[in-house]
């Protein structure tokens, strides 16, 4: 596995862990639930534990695919990584445009938009690029 793939898979897994913590009621790395929702969600609605766990599960699958699972040259892995890359690049584009609320209605607080443009969108773009680069050494044909 190349270095970008390692870094991307590790980061995705770390973010999945944070979502599990949020599902269990943690406000890490924020002091209060209000700070967390304003900065990360963009409104005052706390996502359900199930929603946090679902995101954590998808991020874990994304990390696995980026890391070369189920098999480095499998068609399933290649399709999964293409999906991960597409989702993350789309999320980055909407974030940079200040329109994440078009994907997630209500994500529109000024603090969230600032965090989105300065941190979340660049992170999504970097992860999309890392996921795409994970295919570089062992691309499998789609057919």
């Amino acid at each position: 596995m190349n270095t970008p793939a390692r870094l991307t898979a590790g980061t995705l897994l770390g973010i999945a862990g944070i979502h599990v913590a949020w599902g269990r009621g943690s406000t890490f790395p924020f002091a209060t639930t209000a700070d967390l929702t304003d900065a990360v969600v963009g409104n005052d609605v706390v996502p359900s534990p199930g929603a946090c766990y679902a995101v954590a599960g998808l991020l874990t699958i994304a990390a696995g695919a980026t890391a070369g699972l189920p098999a480095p040259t499998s068609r399933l892995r290649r399709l999964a990584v293409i999906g991960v890359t597409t989702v993350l690049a789309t999320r980055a584009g909407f974030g940079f445009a200040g329109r994440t609320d078009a994907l997630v209605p209500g994500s529109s607080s000024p603090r969230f938009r600032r965090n989105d443009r300065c941190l979340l969108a660049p992170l999504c773009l970097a992860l999309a690029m890392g996921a795409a680069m994970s295919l570089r050494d062992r691309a499998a044909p789609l057919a």
Side-chain angles (χ1 to χ4, degrees):
M1 179 174 16
N2 59 50
T3 300
R6 282 189 188 108
L7 291 171
T8 301
T11 301
L12 289 166
L13 203 53
I15 296 168
I18 291 171
H19 280 79
V20 168
W22 290 342
R24 296 180 51 85
S26 173
T27 60
F28 176 83
F30 301 93
T32 68
T33 300
D35 284 341
L36 171 66
T37 58
D38 186 39
V40 178
V41 179
N43 59 49
D44 59 359
V45 177
V46 177
S48 70
C52 293
Y53 298 146
V55 171
L58 291 170
L59 288 165
T60 300
I61 291 168
T66 301
L69 300 174
T73 59
S74 77
R75 181 176 181 203
L76 176 62
R77 177 196 174 254
R78 183 171 173 78
L79 290 172
V81 170
I82 290 168
V84 167
T85 301
T86 301
V87 167
L88 289 169
T90 300
R91 171 62 182 82
F94 276 83
F96 283 125
R99 291 307 321 267
T100 299
D101 60 321
L103 298 174
V104 184
S107 296
S108 57
S109 77
R111 182 177 181 188
F112 171 80
R113 286 189 185 213
R114 186 175 53 253
N115 287 344
D116 200 21
R117 282 194 173 125
C118 295
L119 177 66
L120 302 175
L123 176 60
C124 287
L125 182 58
L127 291 171
M129 292 169 51
M133 290 175 72
S134 77
L135 294 175
R136 181 178 55 189
D137 293 337
R138 51 177 90 85
L142 285 176

